[in-house]
């Protein structure tokens, strides 16, 4: 039987022998003291995340509130209405960045979701599909269908109770950023708006919406159960 590389790596992390992690507290064992007072962390990841997080907060606090022309509303004709008022500059900047990312990289987001779906299908039919989320001699508690149903329901099933109806209606009747003016400045016909509303809803709540949870869930499950 091939060596379980995931379990071996987990053991090295627990023992602090991988050369990356630092451990504080009592020796690792099954005692209650060890479980609650033994701390291990990655100094590179933790340090970089701390510097970035607090640096980001300090920069935003330093910018503060400024008085400048703020976008108040946009008319249906496309003209913007501005007025002098107290504005939180970071909010204006982030709104611009968010719109820029959506305008320039929506294709990348949709394409990457397609890639993740294909990745999971390939993974399911690969040699790694037989790896158990537990010990090698453990008997599966649930069937593949039951497991998929639980994971899917946990990821997006709850939201479907509400958004399964609310989202297509919102795309169909409301003026929003998802494309009620796809045909220039003209409002699309009813049948095209209805189809577009369903397409967007299927994308947000179908396999493409679920695959994000599935990939992260599989990674966390292997890290936790394959020790």
């Amino acid at each position: 039987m091939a060596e379980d590389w995931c379990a071996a790596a987990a053991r090295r992390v627990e023992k602090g022998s991988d050369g990356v992690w630092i451990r504080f507290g009592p020796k690792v064992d099954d005692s209650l003291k060890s479980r609650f007072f033994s701390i291990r962390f990655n100094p590179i990841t933790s340090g970089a995340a701390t510097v970035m997080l607090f640096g980001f907060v300090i920069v935003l606090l330093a910018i503060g509130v400024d008085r400048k022309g703020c976008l108040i509303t946009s008319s249906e004709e496309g003209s913007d209405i501005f007025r002098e008022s107290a504005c939180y500059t970071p909010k204006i900047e982030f709104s611009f960045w968010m719109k820029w990312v959506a305008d320039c990289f929506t294709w990348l987001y949709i394409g990457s979701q397609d890639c993740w779906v294909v990745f999971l299908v390939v993974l399911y039919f690969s040699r790694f599909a037989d790896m158990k989320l537990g010990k090698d001699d453990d008997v599966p508690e649930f069937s593949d269908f039951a497991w998929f149903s639980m994971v899917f329901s946990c990821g997006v099933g709850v939201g479907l109770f509400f958004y399964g109806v609310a989202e297509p209606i919102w795309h169909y009747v409301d003026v929003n950023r998802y494309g009620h003016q796809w045909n220039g400045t003209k409002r699309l016909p009813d049948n095209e708006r209805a189809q577009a509303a369903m397409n967007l809803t299927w994308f947000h709540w179908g396999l493409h919406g679920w695959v994000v949870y599935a990939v992260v869930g599989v990674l966390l499950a292997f890290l936790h159960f394959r020790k």
Side-chain angles (χ1 to χ4, degrees):
M1 180 177 178
E3 181 184 0
D4 189 342
W5 55 268
C6 189
R11 286 194 296 269
R12 289 197 298 270
V13 171
E14 288 182 345
K15 296 178 180 178
S17 60
D18 64 342
V20 178
W21 293 72
I22 296 178
R23 180 181 300 281
F24 294 98
K27 184 179 179 181
V28 180
D29 52 35
D30 293 331
S31 66
L32 190 64
K33 181 179 179 181
S34 177
R35 291 185 179 181
F36 285 95
F37 297 101
S38 181
I39 302 174
R40 65 179 184 272
F41 70 97
N42 186 315
I44 299 176
T45 303
S46 301
T50 302
V51 171
M52 292 178 60
L53 177 61
F54 283 96
F56 192 65
V57 172
I58 291 172
V59 170
L60 295 184
L61 291 175
I63 294 176
V65 178
D66 189 16
R67 296 191 65 84
K68 61 185 296 185
C70 289
L71 177 62
I72 303 303
T73 185
S74 297
S75 64
E76 293 184 358
E77 292 77 15
S79 59
D80 299 328
I81 302 174
F82 291 85
R83 74 178 182 184
E84 184 79 8
S85 63
C87 298
Y88 187 52
T89 307
K91 180 179 180 181
I92 300 174
E93 292 294 333
F94 293 155
S95 298
F96 170 78
W97 295 346
M98 184 173 65
K99 185 178 184 302
W100 179 80
V101 170
D103 291 341
C104 298
F105 294 102
T106 297
W107 64 269
L108 178 61
Y109 174 77
I110 295 176
S112 63
Q113 298 300 89
D114 293 334
C115 292
W116 285 123
V117 172
V118 174
F119 169 77
L120 285 186
V121 172
V122 173
L123 184 66
Y124 181 80
F125 291 101
S126 70
R127 64 187 179 91
F128 298 106
D130 294 330
M131 293 182 64
K132 296 181 180 179
L133 299 180
K135 299 179 180 179
D136 292 331
D137 56 351
D138 286 345
V139 178
E141 186 177 356
F142 304 99
S143 66
D144 290 345
F145 179 78
W147 180 251
F148 173 83
S149 300
M150 288 187 292
V151 174
F152 186 85
S153 298
C154 181
V156 298
V158 176
L160 284 175
F161 277 101
F162 177 80
Y163 289 104
V165 176
E167 183 164 336
I169 293 177
W170 181 60
H171 292 314
Y172 176 73
V173 303
D174 197 16
V175 176
N176 60 69
R177 64 187 176 91
Y178 287 101
H180 69 287
Q181 294 180 346
W182 280 354
N183 187 17
T185 58
K186 295 182 179 180
R187 193 173 179 85
L188 293 174
D190 287 350
N191 61 328
E192 293 187 29
R193 284 191 291 117
Q195 184 62 57
M198 291 304 302
N199 289 341
L200 286 167
T201 304
W202 275 113
F203 178 77
H204 289 158
W205 294 99
L207 291 177
H208 291 80
W210 167 78
V211 73
V212 181
Y213 301 96
V215 171
V216 177
V218 168
L219 291 174
L220 294 177
F222 276 122
L223 291 174
H224 180 76
F225 291 106
R226 295 296 297 184
K227 291 183 177 179

